[in-house]
Each structure stands twice: as structure tokens, then as C-alpha cells.
Amino acid sequence: NAGVTQTPKFQVLKTGQSMTLQCAQDMNHNSMYWYRQDPGMGLRLIYYSASEGTTDKGEVPNGYNVSRLNKREFSLRLESAAPSQTSVYFCASIGYSYNEQFFGPGTRLTVL
Amino acid sequence: AQSVTQPDIHITVSEGASLELRCNYSYGATPYLFWYVQSPGQGLQLLLKYFSGDTLVQGIKGFEAEFKRSQSSFNLRKPSVHWSDAAEYFCAVGDGGGNKLTFGTGTQLKVEL
């Protein structure tokens, strides 16, 4: 089935630990995105990738890095997790001119 | 920079009543506009979108939205709300390059039976 997969679904980290959130899509879309969702703040763009091999900062990139491994995969890495990074993270894959949009189920991350 | 404002954080309506959720955007050119719905613990589902043409767009689940350029608004409406419509609703604006989607802070809809 077409869609966006994210792993893991839940994760608890201690302050200073690192981890990578994985995202993959099978719609052959060029554009992929990472958002974080916090209560009362909507979805805020962390990084996006308009095409394979390119990445750009969004609204809240500090503390994160990304890799567009290939057209299918777009990973988000936290090098040294902080409690302020406790959030729900969504990956999205969007087709040309927004004609198709798929959001992953989210990763709920808690940093203690 | 593009931005979206959803002025209502919470809205409560009675089942069967009409609904209007407000959205104002800021963008320098003709925007791409979207409404999404998110049920608790779920991802986002696209309700409808506006690119160009007819300013009244129809979406899924009986929702519609009207683009008003003079007011920089894209309000979501439904004539008769069902209890299952209780959820959080997000408005978003996309840039012309199709690369950047910016969301509002959301409106939480509660439906009273």
C-alpha cells in the first residue's frame, strides 16, 4: 500500500543520548519533510528535502540533522537529545505541486 | 515569509449545528491552501485544497472552504456537524515552488451531543 512509514512509533531517551528517526515513502515523491508537533503550536517544520541529495532548514532546525539517503528515505537524527525535543515527530511526503500528500503515523519521543 | 493564523484555539458546537473555522494566511503570491484534520493519536488527513480557479472548494466528509484574497482568508465550513467531526483542524499554506508547507497552530473542535 502506498504511504509513509516511520520508525519507531515510540521512544524514550535520556538527555544526551542520540537516535535516528527513519522515514520512507513509496510514492516516488521528490519532496519529503520532518515536522514536530507540540501542544498549541501546530506542526513546525524542522527540515525538508525538495529532491534527492538536497536538504534545507525549516523553522526549528537546531539540535537536528537530516539525511536524504535516496529518493525513498529521509532520516532525522538527534545527536544529543534534550528535554525540549520531547515531541511528536511527523514525516511527510508530498508530490509535485502538492497534488499528493501523505503523512506518517508519527513518532512519539520523550526525552528525560 | 509565509505564515498562517488560526485565531480560535477551541470551538464547541452542538451536533447538527453549522461550523466555520477561521484561517488567515500571509503569502506574497497566490497561495496553495490546505485544511487537514487530525483525530487523537493519529496522523493528518487532507480535507481539501485550493490552488486556483473557483474560490469555493469542496472536500471530503462534507467540508468546504472559501478562498477570499481580499481578506487573506481560507475559512473551513460544514453545514451540519456530526459527533465524529470532533478533532483538531489545521490550516496550511504552501509556497509556489511546491516545497514548503507551513501550518497554523490548529483549532480543537468539540461537538456536544
Side-chain angles (χ1 to χ4, degrees):
Chain A
N1 292 332
V4 175
T5 58
Q6 284 185 240
T7 55
K9 291 188 177 180
F10 300 93
Q11 184 72 48
V12 179
L13 295 177
K14 294 181 180 179
T15 297
Q17 289 185 316
S18 63
M19 78 162 295
T20 299
L21 281 65
Q22 306 288 352
C23 175
Q25 53 97 0
D26 59 4
M27 284 80 67
N28 203 38
H29 290 159
N30 284 324
S31 299
M32 297 183 73
Y33 303 75
W34 277 106
Y35 289 90
R36 60 177 289 173
Q37 183 177 23
D38 303 289
M41 305 191 76
L43 277 78
R44 293 181 293 168
L45 183 62
I46 305 171
Y47 271 93
Y48 66 101
S49 170
S51 62
E52 184 180 355
T54 68
T55 60
D56 287 283
K57 295 179 181 179
E59 183 184 354
V60 288
N62 291 345
Y64 305 95
N65 286 301
V66 290
S67 295
R68 184 74 183 267
L69 304 170
N70 47 54
K71 197 167 189 179
R72 285 190 67 248
E73 299 170 293
F74 187 39
S75 62
L76 178 71
R77 182 162 178 83
L78 287 70
E79 291 291 350
S80 179
S84 61
Q85 295 178 304
T86 294
S87 187
V88 181
Y89 292 86
F90 288 99
C91 178
S93 172
I94 297 180
Y96 178 73
S97 289
Y98 306 102
N99 281 331
E100 289 185 323
Q101 300 184 27
F102 290 88
F103 286 82
T107 296
R108 188 172 296 274
L109 174 66
T110 301
V111 182
L112 302 175
Chain B
Q2 60 200 63
S3 66
V4 175
T5 301
Q6 292 180 249
D8 303 306
I9 299 174
H10 295 100
I11 283 186
T12 299
V13 299
S14 299
E15 188 175 37
S18 64
L19 171 69
E20 183 169 27
L21 302 182
R22 296 184 291 166
C23 172
N24 292 97
Y25 69 90
S26 174
Y27 185 68
T30 299
Y32 291 70
L33 294 164
F34 309 88
W35 274 101
Y36 301 84
V37 61
Q38 184 181 36
S39 297
Q42 303 298 311
L44 275 73
Q45 181 181 22
L46 179 65
L47 285 175
L48 49 77
K49 58 190 177 186
Y50 170 79
F51 291 168
S52 64
D54 194 348
T55 56
L56 184 64
V57 293
Q58 302 297 321
I60 63 172
K61 305 186 179 188
F63 285 94
E64 65 178 26
E66 186 172 13
F67 171 62
K68 293 185 177 180
R69 183 187 300 275
S70 61
Q71 299 178 20
S72 296
S73 69
F74 188 57
N75 294 347
L76 182 72
R77 300 194 295 246
K78 188 170 185 179
S80 178
V81 170
H82 188 263
W83 63 266
S84 61
D85 292 323
E88 190 159 23
Y89 292 80
F90 293 94
C91 181
V93 62
D95 69 356
N99 291 330
K100 193 173 179 182
L101 197 57
T102 301
F103 287 82
T105 52
T107 297
Q108 189 72 45
L109 173 65
K110 180 180 177 182
V111 180
E112 291 183 332
L113 301 175

